[in-house]
Coordinates of all heavy atoms in Angstrom, one line a residue:
Chain W
L58 N -20.3 16.0 51.0 CA -19.9 17.3 50.3 C -19.4 17.0 48.9 O -19.7 17.7 47.9 CB -18.8 18.0 51.1 CG -19.3 18.8 52.3 CD1 -18.1 19.3 53.1 CD2 -20.1 20.0 51.8
E59 N -18.5 16.0 48.8 CA -18.0 15.6 47.5 C -19.1 15.2 46.6 O -19.1 15.6 45.4 CB -17.0 14.5 47.7 CG -16.2 14.2 46.4 CD -15.0 13.2 46.7 OE1 -15.0 12.7 47.8 OE2 -14.2 13.0 45.8
G60 N -20.0 14.4 47.1 CA -21.2 14.0 46.3 C -22.0 15.2 45.8 O -22.4 15.2 44.6
A61 N -22.2 16.2 46.7 CA -23.0 17.3 46.3 C -22.3 18.1 45.2 O -22.9 18.6 44.2 CB -23.2 18.2 47.5
F62 N -21.0 18.3 45.4 CA -20.2 19.0 44.3 C -20.2 18.3 43.0 O -20.3 18.9 41.9 CB -18.8 19.3 44.8 CG -18.7 20.6 45.5 CD1 -18.9 20.7 46.9 CD2 -18.4 21.8 44.8 CE1 -18.8 21.9 47.5 CE2 -18.3 23.0 45.5 CZ -18.5 23.1 46.9
L63 N -20.1 17.0 43.1 CA -20.1 16.2 41.9 C -21.4 16.3 41.2 O -21.5 16.4 39.9 CB -19.8 14.7 42.2 CG -18.3 14.3 42.2 CD1 -18.2 12.8 42.5 CD2 -17.7 14.5 40.8
R64 N -22.5 16.2 42.0 CA -23.8 16.4 41.3 C -24.0 17.7 40.7 O -24.6 17.9 39.7 CB -24.9 16.1 42.4 CG -25.3 14.7 42.6 CD -26.6 14.5 43.4 NE -26.4 15.0 44.8 CZ -25.9 14.2 45.7 NH1 -25.5 13.0 45.5 NH2 -25.8 14.7 47.0
A65 N -23.4 18.7 41.3 CA -23.5 20.1 40.8 C -22.7 20.3 39.5 O -23.1 21.0 38.6 CB -23.1 21.1 41.8
L66 N -21.5 19.7 39.5 CA -20.6 19.9 38.4 C -20.8 18.9 37.2 O -20.5 19.3 36.1 CB -19.2 19.8 38.9 CG -18.7 20.9 39.9 CD1 -17.3 20.6 40.4 CD2 -18.7 22.2 39.2
S67 N -21.3 17.7 37.5 CA -21.4 16.7 36.5 C -22.2 17.2 35.3 O -21.8 16.9 34.1 CB -21.9 15.4 37.0 OG -21.0 14.9 37.9
P68 N -23.4 17.9 35.5 CA -24.1 18.3 34.3 C -23.3 19.2 33.3 O -23.4 19.1 32.1 CB -25.3 19.1 34.9 CG -25.4 18.6 36.2 CD -24.1 18.2 36.7
L69 N -22.4 20.0 34.0 CA -21.5 20.8 33.1 C -20.5 19.9 32.3 O -20.3 20.2 31.1 CB -20.7 21.8 34.0 CG -21.5 22.8 34.7 CD1 -20.6 23.6 35.7 CD2 -22.2 23.7 33.8
G70 N -20.0 18.9 33.0 CA -19.2 17.9 32.3 C -19.9 17.2 31.1 O -19.4 17.0 30.0
R71 N -21.2 16.9 31.4 CA -22.0 16.2 30.4 C -22.2 17.2 29.2 O -22.2 16.8 28.0 CB -23.3 15.8 31.0 CG -24.0 14.7 30.2 CD -25.2 14.1 30.9 NE -26.1 15.2 31.3 CZ -27.0 15.0 32.2 NH1 -27.1 13.9 32.9 NH2 -27.9 16.0 32.5
L72 N -22.5 18.5 29.6 CA -22.7 19.5 28.5 C -21.4 19.6 27.7 O -21.5 19.7 26.4 CB -23.0 20.8 29.2 CG -23.4 22.0 28.3 CD1 -24.8 21.7 27.8 CD2 -23.4 23.3 29.1
V73 N -20.3 19.6 28.3 CA -19.0 19.8 27.5 C -18.8 18.5 26.7 O -18.4 18.6 25.5 CB -17.8 20.0 28.5 CG1 -16.5 19.8 27.8 CG2 -17.9 21.3 29.1
A74 N -19.1 17.4 27.2 CA -18.9 16.1 26.5 C -19.9 16.1 25.3 O -19.5 15.8 24.1 CB -19.2 14.9 27.3
A75 N -21.1 16.5 25.5 CA -22.1 16.6 24.4 C -21.6 17.6 23.3 O -21.7 17.3 22.1 CB -23.5 16.9 24.9
G76 N -21.2 18.8 23.8 CA -20.7 19.8 22.9 C -19.5 19.3 22.1 O -19.4 19.5 20.9
Chain Y
L17 N -17.5 30.4 38.6 CA -17.2 29.0 39.0 C -17.7 28.0 37.9 O -17.0 27.1 37.5 CB -17.9 28.7 40.3 CG -17.6 27.3 40.9 CD1 -16.1 27.2 41.2 CD2 -18.4 27.1 42.2
A18 N -18.9 28.3 37.4 CA -19.4 27.5 36.3 C -18.6 27.5 35.1 O -18.3 26.5 34.4 CB -20.9 27.9 36.0
A20 N -15.4 28.3 35.0 CA -14.1 27.6 35.3 C -14.3 26.1 35.2 O -13.5 25.4 34.6 CB -13.7 27.9 36.7
A21 N -15.5 25.6 35.7 CA -15.7 24.1 35.6 C -15.9 23.7 34.1 O -15.3 22.7 33.7 CB -17.0 23.8 36.3
L22 N -16.6 24.5 33.3 CA -16.8 24.2 31.9 C -15.4 24.2 31.2 O -15.1 23.2 30.4 CB -17.7 25.3 31.2 CG -19.2 25.1 31.4 CD1 -19.9 26.3 30.8 CD2 -19.6 23.8 30.6
L23 N -14.6 25.2 31.4 CA -13.3 25.2 30.8 C -12.4 24.1 31.3 O -11.6 23.5 30.5 CB -12.6 26.6 31.1 CG -13.2 27.8 30.4 CD1 -12.6 29.1 30.9 CD2 -13.0 27.7 28.9
H24 N -12.6 23.7 32.5 CA -11.8 22.6 33.1 C -12.2 21.3 32.4 O -11.3 20.5 31.9 CB -12.0 22.5 34.6 CG -11.2 21.4 35.3 ND1 -10.0 21.7 35.8 CD2 -11.5 20.1 35.5 CE1 -9.5 20.6 36.3 NE2 -10.4 19.6 36.1
F25 N -13.5 21.1 32.2 CA -14.0 19.9 31.5 C -13.5 19.9 30.1 O -13.0 18.9 29.6 CB -15.5 19.8 31.6 CG -16.1 19.3 32.9 CD1 -16.9 20.1 33.6 CD2 -15.7 18.1 33.3 CE1 -17.5 19.6 34.8 CE2 -16.2 17.6 34.6 CZ -17.1 18.4 35.3
A26 N -13.6 21.1 29.5 CA -13.2 21.1 28.0 C -11.7 20.9 27.9 O -11.3 20.2 27.0 CB -13.6 22.5 27.5
R29 N -10.9 17.4 28.4 CA -11.4 16.6 27.3 C -10.3 16.7 26.1 O -10.1 15.7 25.4 CB -12.7 17.1 26.8 CG -13.3 16.2 25.7 CD -14.7 16.7 25.3 NE -15.2 16.0 24.2 CZ -15.8 14.8 24.3 NH1 -16.0 14.2 25.4 NH2 -16.2 14.2 23.2
F41 N -10.0 27.0 38.8 CA -10.7 27.3 40.0 C -9.9 28.2 40.9 O -10.5 29.1 41.6 CB -11.0 26.0 40.8 CG -11.9 25.0 40.0 CD1 -11.3 23.9 39.5 CD2 -13.2 25.3 39.9 CE1 -12.1 23.0 38.7 CE2 -14.0 24.4 39.2 CZ -13.5 23.3 38.6
W66 N -13.2 23.1 46.8 CA -14.0 21.9 46.9 C -14.5 21.4 45.5 O -14.6 20.2 45.2 CB -15.3 22.1 47.8 CG -14.9 22.0 49.3 CD1 -13.8 21.5 49.8 CD2 -15.8 22.3 50.4 NE1 -13.8 21.5 51.2 CE2 -15.0 22.0 51.5 CE3 -17.1 22.8 50.5 CZ2 -15.6 22.2 52.8 CZ3 -17.6 23.0 51.8 CH2 -16.8 22.7 52.9
A67 N -14.7 22.4 44.7 CA -15.1 22.0 43.3 C -13.9 21.3 42.6 O -14.1 20.3 42.0 CB -15.5 23.3 42.5
A68 N -12.7 21.8 42.9 CA -11.5 21.2 42.3 C -11.3 19.8 43.0 O -10.9 18.8 42.3 CB -10.3 22.1 42.5
D69 N -11.6 19.7 44.3 CA -11.5 18.4 45.0 C -12.5 17.4 44.4 O -12.1 16.2 44.3 CB -11.8 18.6 46.4 CG -10.6 19.2 47.2 OD1 -9.4 18.8 46.8 OD2 -10.8 20.0 48.1
A70 N -13.7 17.9 44.1 CA -14.7 16.9 43.6 C -14.2 16.3 42.2 O -14.6 15.2 41.9 CB -16.0 17.6 43.4
L71 N -13.4 17.0 41.5 CA -13.0 16.5 40.2 C -11.6 15.9 40.2 O -11.1 15.4 39.2 CB -13.0 17.7 39.2 CG -14.3 18.3 39.0 CD1 -14.2 19.5 38.0 CD2 -15.3 17.3 38.4
S72 N -10.9 16.0 41.4 CA -9.5 15.4 41.5 C -9.6 14.1 42.2 O -10.6 13.7 42.9 CB -8.6 16.4 42.3 OG -8.8 16.3 43.6

Side-chain angles (χ1 to χ4, degrees):
Chain W
L58 280 169
E59 190 172 5
F62 270 87
L63 269 179
R64 272 193 294 277
L66 294 174
S67 292
L69 297 173
R71 203 171 54 198
L72 188 70
V73 169
Chain Y
L17 187 61
L22 277 172
L23 290 171
H24 184 89
F25 281 122
R29 188 178 172 83
F41 298 106
W66 278 351
D69 280 326
L71 300 176
S72 80

